[in-house]
């Protein structure tokens, strides 16, 4: 018995050892794969940050990844000489008012659509979803621009803000789900306590929706901050109204000699870094909302 | 509660949303549907010309080349993005240490503006002295610098940038879909002795069916519509090699940059816009039917 047992045991343990080796190897391969993709995601941003601290010569001819001399002055130059202070202000202005406006318009509509079976509700929902699916590209910008000319808003940031707010269908559909999740009993109780349609919105729905509003607001803010083509079209004749995205891209067409690559990267970082900071603080919220669109 | 009053109140709350949508969302489409039958340059009088704009489009070689480029661009982007993001989703849906950090890292590119990143990539992919070429040369991967934004590589570069921006987004959508699959199905399969591949084909993919179909459909339309980063990166050049249909369309209405001019052709542009939207719609429909058939087979 014992003589039979020994070989059986050793073969079993050698099998498990090679199994362990296999497991370890596949774990290593898995992590190599994960880290390579992570590097692919992060390296362009790191190169942008490092490049923004190089001199133009170092950036275009140097062969080191790290700057030979750390040029923090690039940021000062971009900020004042290349007008990025102005661009940043414009971006902040557009993003804040677009976010507030979009949230106001969408929470009101979502509240009404979730709570009342008003006449024409189906048609309203169809129109909202149609704007999500039909895309004729830049064509719409032309009549939108003409509309703003007739309103006298084509030379102010409000034209851009109003059009961005008008594209609130996604936010509306996200919020209507959240409003539906608020129990109707709360409305009823509030009505008994003397609330009306408006005060229920202000005192019940909005406070209970705060977390959802925060998260959807983040997405709207990101969209407005990153918007390029709309502000480009509206500020072509007036550079003082340009946003970070537009002002940055226009550096590519800078007058005169060689493009100032280091300024382009410094400008890019001025646009990217605030979003990254917000993302580091609130990445769960960003991801939760994106994922939410599938779970629906 | 007074029902009539409730109706009025609801309409007061819907009104801002509805008016904005009708004025800035619906009216522009009606505008385009009208002017696609007109010869209209943006000034002077618009002349009704029937279907002439569509005849012109048939002969417009530059437009059809842009359609072909769009398909290459979209296919190139999707062939890499969908399998890669799916794989990442499957891996990161498991109890892996550090999965939350990895998810956050992969998702990070999606929060950055496409146009801003196009500028960054423009600098680091720069033909002879960009950082990408410097690195490739340093590690001996290439002997001579690659002309990333030249005629041969520009479209590939644009695709790489698109992939960079898209992986995290689709990974997250796939993870959301995977989390809807009940865990006990996998446990039952394990008891029956199913390996990881078997579980993938017999549980994950069929259970993900409709979600998978929806995500891929979304990915197709998004990649056919994207033109912002190409517009900043190459403006469609060199020699129209990266001209995609929505960029071609844009140029019929507005200049690409403050310095350049555009040949404003609003009538013809409206017709192109209509056909472009139709092409996207048709591709989506075809995909929808094929994937539905495949779903039925499973």
């Amino acid at each position: 018995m014992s003589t039979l047992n020994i070989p059986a045991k050793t073969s079993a343990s050698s099998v498990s050892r090679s199994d362990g080796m296999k497991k370890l190897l596949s774990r290593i391969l898995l992590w190599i794969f994960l880290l390579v993709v992570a590097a692919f995601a992060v390296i362009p941003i790191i190169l942008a940050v490092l490049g923004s601290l190089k001199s133009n010569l170092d950036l275009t001819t140097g062969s080191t990844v790290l700057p030979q001399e750390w040029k923090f002055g690039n940021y000062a130059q971009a900020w004042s000489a290349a007008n990025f202070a102005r661009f940043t202000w414009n971006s902040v202005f557009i993003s804040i008012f677009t976010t507030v406006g979009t949230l106001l318009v969408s929470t009101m509509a979502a509240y009404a659509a979730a709570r009342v079976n008003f006449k024409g509700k189906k048609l309203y929902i169809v129109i909202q979803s149609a704007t999500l699916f039909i895309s004729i590209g830049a064509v719409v910008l032309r009549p939108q621009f003409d509309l703003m000319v007739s309103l006298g808003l084509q030379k102010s940031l409000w034209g851009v803000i109003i059009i961005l707010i008008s594209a609130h269908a996604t936010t509306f559909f996200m919020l209507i789900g959240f409003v539906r999740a608020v129990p109707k009993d709360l409305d009823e109780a509030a009505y008994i306590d003397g609330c009306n349609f408006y005060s229920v919105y202000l005192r019940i729905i909005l406070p209970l929706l705060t977390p959802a509003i925060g998260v959807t607001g983040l997405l709207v803010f990101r969209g407005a901050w990153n918007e390029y083509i709309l502000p480009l079209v509206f500020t072509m004749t007036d550079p003082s109204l340009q946003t970070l995205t537009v002002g940055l891209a226009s550096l590519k067409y800078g007058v005169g000699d060689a493009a100032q690559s280091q300024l382009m990267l410094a400008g890019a970082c001025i646009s990217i870094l605030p979003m990254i900071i917000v993302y580091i603080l609130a990445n769960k919220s960003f991801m939760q909302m994106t994922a939410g669109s599938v779970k629906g | 509660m007074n029902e009539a009053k409730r109706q009025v109140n609801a309409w007061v709350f819907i009104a801002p949303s509805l008016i904005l949508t009708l004025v800035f969302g619906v009216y522009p489409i009606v505008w385009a549907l009208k002017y696609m039958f007109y010869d209209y340059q943006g000034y002077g009088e618009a002349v009704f010309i029937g279907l002439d704009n569509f005849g012109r489009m048939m002969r417009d070689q530059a437009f059809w080349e842009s359609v072909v480029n769009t398909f290459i661009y979209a296919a190139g982007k999707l062939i890499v993005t969908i399998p890669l993001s799916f794989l990442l989703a499957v891996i990161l849906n498991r109890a892996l240490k550090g999965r939350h950090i990895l998810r956050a890292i992969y998702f990070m590119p999606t929060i950055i503006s496409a146009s801003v990143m196009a500028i960054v990539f423009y600098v680091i992919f720069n033909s002879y002295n960009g950082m990408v070429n410097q690195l490739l040369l340093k590690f001996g991967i290439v002997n001579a610098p690659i002309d990333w934004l030249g005629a041969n590589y520009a479209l590939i570069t644009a695709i790489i940038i698109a992939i960079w921006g898209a992986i995290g987004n689709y990974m997250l959508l796939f993870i959301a879909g995977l989390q809807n699959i009940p865990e006990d199905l996998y446990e039952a399969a394990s008891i029956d002795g199913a390996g990881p591949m078997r579980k993938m084909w017999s549980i994950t993919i069929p259970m993900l069916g409709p979600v998978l179909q929806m995500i891929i459909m979304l990915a197709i339309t998004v990649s056919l519509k994207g033109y912002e980063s190409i517009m900043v990166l190459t403006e469609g050049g060199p020699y129209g090699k990266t001209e995609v249909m929505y960029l071609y369309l844009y140029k019929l209405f507005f200049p690409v940059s403050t310095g350049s001019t555009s040949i404003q052709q609003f009538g013809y542009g409206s017709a192109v816009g209509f056909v472009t939207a139709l092409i996207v719609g048709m591709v989506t429909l075809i995909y929808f039917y094929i994937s539905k058939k495949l779903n039925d087979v499973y």
Side-chain angles (χ1 to χ4, degrees), chain A residues 27 30-31 33-35 37-38 40-42 44-45 47-48 51 54 58-65 105 108-109 111-113 115-120 124 127-128 131-148 151 162-163 165-166 168 188 191 197-198 201 222 225-229 232-233 235-237 242 244-245 248-250 252-253 261 264-265 268 271-272 275-276 279 283-284 286-288 290-295, chain B residues 1 3 6-14 16-18 20-29 31-32 40 84 87-88 91-92 94 96-98 100 102-117 119-124 126 128-132 134-135 138 160 163-164 167 169 171-173 176-177 179-180 211 214-215 225 227-228 231-235 246 249-250 253-259 264 266 269-270 273-274 276-277:
Chain A
R27 261 197 109 68
L30 180 76
W31 274 97
F33 169 71
L34 290 175
L35 292 177
V37 182
F40 177 60
V42 175
I45 298 169
L47 285 182
K54 289 181 175 183
D58 186 10
L59 189 63
T60 49
T61 59
S63 57
T64 52
V65 175
V105 170
M108 283 168 63
Y111 166 53
R115 287 297 197 250
V116 186
N117 271 319
F118 59 88
K119 279 203 180 90
Y124 169 75
I127 292 173
Q128 284 293 351
T131 59
L132 282 179
F133 291 109
I134 301 171
S135 169
I136 53 173
V139 184
V140 296
L141 294 172
R142 191 67 240 176
Q144 283 174 346
F145 189 82
D146 294 343
L147 279 169
M148 284 307 166
L151 291 172
I162 291 171
I163 294 176
I165 295 174
S166 80
H168 60 273
E188 307 297 340
Y191 280 119
F197 187 78
Y198 302 95
Y201 169 73
R222 170 184 70 172
W225 183 265
N226 290 344
E227 183 67 37
Y228 173 65
I229 288 168
L232 170 71
V233 165
T235 60
M236 232 157 224
T237 51
Q242 285 174 353
L244 277 172
T245 50
L248 176 64
S250 71
K252 209 185 134 195
Y253 311 99
S261 306
M264 284 161 81
L265 291 185
S271 162
I272 293 171
M275 280 314 284
I276 301 251
Y279 179 68
N283 64 72
K284 286 235 170 75
F286 273 104
M287 295 198 276
Q288 174 200 339
T290 309
S293 56
V294 167
K295 282 180 173 166
Chain B
M1 207 177 322
E3 179 59 27
R6 232 174 126 70
Q7 289 276 332
V8 174
N9 286 335
W11 270 102
V12 170
F13 266 47
I14 289 291
S17 163
L18 184 65
L20 282 169
T21 308
L22 288 178
V23 174
F24 296 104
V26 177
Y27 163 72
I29 294 174
W31 184 93
Y40 180 42
L84 194 56
L87 193 59
L88 289 172
I91 295 171
L92 295 186
R94 280 187 273 165
L96 186 79
K97 235 188 192 159
H100 292 293
L102 283 171
R103 276 186 206 171
I105 289 174
Y106 298 145
F107 192 70
M108 194 166 62
T110 65
I111 61 156
I112 299 172
S113 159
S115 70
V116 170
M117 252 357 251
I119 284 290
V120 170
F121 280 112
Y122 172 77
V123 173
I124 65 181
N126 210 337
Y128 292 102
N129 40 32
M131 290 192 240
V132 172
Q134 287 170 19
L135 287 176
K138 202 174 174 186
I160 293 175
I163 294 169
W164 181 83
I167 288 177
N169 189 39
M171 170 203 73
L172 209 61
L173 296 181
Q179 283 172 349
N180 289 341
V211 175
M214 205 183 85
I215 294 172
K225 283 181 197 166
Y227 69 102
E228 201 175 291
M231 182 165 136
V232 175
L233 187 77
T234 63
E235 296 147 55
Y246 275 100
L249 177 62
Y250 173 90
F253 287 90
F254 299 100
V256 248
S257 67
T258 26
Q264 300 195 323
F266 300 160
S270 300
F274 180 75
T276 308

Side-chain angles (χ1 to χ4, degrees), chain B residues 4 23 44 55 63 71 73 81 94 109 127 131 141 147 154 158 169 177 185 206 233 242 251-252 263 274:
Chain B
V23 174
F63 170 65
F71 279 97
Y73 174 71
T81 305
R94 280 187 273 165
S127 340
M131 290 192 240
I141 299 169
D147 189 6
N169 189 39
L185 282 180
L233 187 77
T242 56
K251 288 176 176 169
L252 293 170
I263 6 93
F274 180 75

Side-chain angles (χ1 to χ4, degrees), chain A:
Chain A
M1 277 291 268
S2 63
T3 44
L4 276 173
N5 264 345
I6 293 160
K9 249 186 184 167
T10 44
S11 87
S13 78
S14 80
V15 163
S16 77
R17 192 178 301 150
S18 83
D19 254 21
M21 281 298 282
K22 239 183 173 174
K23 255 202 176 136
L24 186 70
L25 195 70
S26 72
R27 261 197 109 68
I28 290 171
L29 284 176
L30 180 76
W31 274 97
I32 289 176
F33 169 71
L34 290 175
L35 292 177
V36 166
V37 182
F40 177 60
V42 175
I43 282 178
I45 298 169
I46 292 174
L47 285 182
V49 174
L50 291 175
S52 73
L53 296 168
K54 289 181 175 183
S55 69
N56 197 19
L57 188 73
D58 186 10
L59 189 63
T60 49
T61 59
S63 57
T64 52
V65 175
L66 292 179
Q68 279 157 358
E69 199 184 330
W70 296 78
K71 293 268 186 191
F72 290 97
N74 289 343
Y75 282 85
Q77 207 187 339
W79 189 253
S80 49
N83 224 0
F84 271 77
R86 181 86 222 170
F87 299 153
T88 306
W89 165 248
N90 291 338
S91 278
V92 169
F93 186 84
I94 286 186
S95 307
I96 286 179
F97 281 100
T98 302
T99 308
V100 172
T102 305
L103 288 174
L104 187 67
V105 170
S106 330
T107 49
M108 283 168 63
Y111 166 53
R115 287 297 197 250
V116 186
N117 271 319
F118 59 88
K119 279 203 180 90
K121 181 168 149 184
K122 273 219 173 96
L123 183 67
Y124 169 75
I125 301 276
V126 167
I127 292 173
Q128 284 293 351
S129 34
T131 59
L132 282 179
F133 291 109
I134 301 171
S135 169
I136 53 173
V139 184
V140 296
L141 294 172
R142 191 67 240 176
Q144 283 174 346
F145 189 82
D146 294 343
L147 279 169
M148 284 307 166
V149 172
S150 54
L151 291 172
L153 291 174
Q154 84 280 17
K155 282 190 177 151
S156 86
L157 295 173
W158 289 106
V160 178
I161 292 168
I162 291 171
I163 294 176
L164 284 174
I165 295 174
S166 80
H168 60 273
T170 318
T171 316
F172 164 76
F173 283 117
M174 284 178 176
L175 285 170
I176 197 170
F178 287 111
V179 179
R180 284 203 183 113
V182 176
K184 263 191 182 160
D185 303 358
L186 291 176
D187 293 30
E188 307 297 340
Y191 280 119
I192 291 166
D193 288 348
C195 277
N196 58 28
F197 187 78
Y198 302 95
S199 47
V200 166
Y201 169 73
L202 282 176
R203 300 208 183 145
I204 310 287
I205 302 294
L206 281 188
L208 285 174
L209 236 50
T210 315
I213 289 174
V215 179
T216 33
L218 268 182
L219 292 195
V220 178
F221 190 92
R222 170 184 70 172
W225 183 265
N226 290 344
E227 183 67 37
Y228 173 65
I229 288 168
L230 188 66
L232 170 71
V233 165
F234 273 75
T235 60
M236 232 157 224
T237 51
D238 191 351
S240 72
L241 291 178
Q242 285 174 353
T243 59
L244 277 172
T245 50
V246 179
L248 176 64
S250 71
L251 278 187
K252 209 185 134 195
Y253 311 99
V255 236
D257 40 54
Q260 303 261 55
S261 306
Q262 86 285 11
L263 285 189
M264 284 161 81
L265 291 185
C269 290
I270 292 176
S271 162
I272 293 171
L273 293 178
M275 280 314 284
I276 301 251
I277 291 168
V278 173
Y279 179 68
I280 289 172
L281 297 174
N283 64 72
K284 286 235 170 75
S285 305
F286 273 104
M287 295 198 276
Q288 174 200 339
M289 280 319 284
T290 309
S293 56
V294 167
K295 282 180 173 166

Side-chain angles (χ1 to χ4, degrees), chain B:
Chain B
M1 207 177 322
N2 189 340
E3 179 59 27
K5 205 172 167 192
R6 232 174 126 70
Q7 289 276 332
V8 174
N9 286 335
W11 270 102
V12 170
F13 266 47
I14 289 291
S17 163
L18 184 65
I19 293 169
L20 282 169
T21 308
L22 288 178
V23 174
F24 296 104
V26 177
Y27 163 72
I29 294 174
V30 177
W31 184 93
L33 287 175
K34 175 192 168 193
Y35 280 109
M36 65 189 190
F37 300 114
Y38 283 78
D39 179 16
Y40 180 42
Q41 318 286 326
Y43 48 85
E45 212 170 317
V47 185
F48 183 80
I49 52 168
L51 293 173
D52 280 10
N53 281 328
F54 294 91
R56 177 178 160 196
M57 199 185 316
M58 287 297 145
R59 298 185 300 275
D60 186 351
Q61 218 179 337
F63 170 65
W64 293 108
E65 273 167 20
S66 80
V67 174
V68 173
N69 284 339
T70 309
F71 279 97
I72 299 173
Y73 174 71
K77 177 183 169 187
L78 294 174
I79 285 171
V80 179
T81 305
I82 296 296
L84 194 56
S85 49
F86 183 69
L87 193 59
L88 289 172
V90 171
I91 295 171
L92 295 186
N93 192 39
R94 280 187 273 165
L96 186 79
K97 235 188 192 159
R99 70 180 189 275
H100 292 293
I101 292 172
L102 283 171
R103 276 186 206 171
I105 289 174
Y106 298 145
F107 192 70
M108 194 166 62
T110 65
I111 61 156
I112 299 172
S113 159
S115 70
V116 170
M117 252 357 251
I119 284 290
V120 170
F121 280 112
Y122 172 77
V123 173
I124 65 181
F125 271 112
N126 210 337
S127 340
Y128 292 102
N129 40 32
M131 290 192 240
V132 172
N133 272 333
Q134 287 170 19
L135 287 176
L136 290 178
L137 287 168
K138 202 174 174 186
F139 290 107
I141 299 169
V142 294
N143 295 322
I146 293 174
D147 189 6
W148 288 106
L149 300 173
N152 292 330
Y153 285 94
L155 192 54
I156 296 174
T157 307
I159 292 172
I160 293 175
I161 296 172
I163 294 169
W164 181 83
I167 288 177
N169 189 39
Y170 293 108
M171 170 203 73
L172 209 61
L173 296 181
F174 282 131
I175 288 179
L178 289 172
Q179 283 172 349
N180 289 341
I181 303 176
E183 195 57 41
D184 29 330
L185 282 180
Y186 291 102
E187 281 162 24
S190 294
I191 292 167
D192 291 346
M197 286 311 271
R198 180 76 210 199
K199 283 184 203 160
M200 169 68 74
W201 287 110
S202 306
I203 301 175
T204 309
I205 290 179
M207 284 298 288
L208 213 51
V211 175
L212 195 68
Q213 188 184 3
M214 205 183 85
I215 294 172
I216 294 178
M217 200 156 88
L218 179 77
I220 290 174
T221 48
V222 167
S223 57
L224 289 174
K225 283 181 197 166
Y227 69 102
E228 201 175 291
S229 70
I230 294 184
M231 182 165 136
V232 175
L233 187 77
T234 63
E235 296 147 55
Y239 317 114
K241 290 278 183 195
T242 56
E243 190 88 274
V244 287
M245 54 190 186
Y246 275 100
L247 178 55
Y248 183 81
L249 177 62
Y250 173 90
K251 288 176 176 169
L252 293 170
F253 287 90
F254 299 100
V256 248
S257 67
T258 26
S260 59
T261 50
S262 83
I263 6 93
Q264 300 195 323
Q265 313 205 27
F266 300 160
Y268 181 55
S270 300
V272 171
F274 180 75
V275 170
T276 308
L278 216 59
I279 292 174
V280 175
M282 261 155 54
V283 172
T284 318
L285 270 182
I286 292 170
Y287 167 75
F288 189 73
Y289 279 112
I290 293 176
S291 64
K292 218 176 154 197
K293 277 259 161 63
L294 287 177
N295 264 349
D296 294 344
V297 172
Y298 267 108

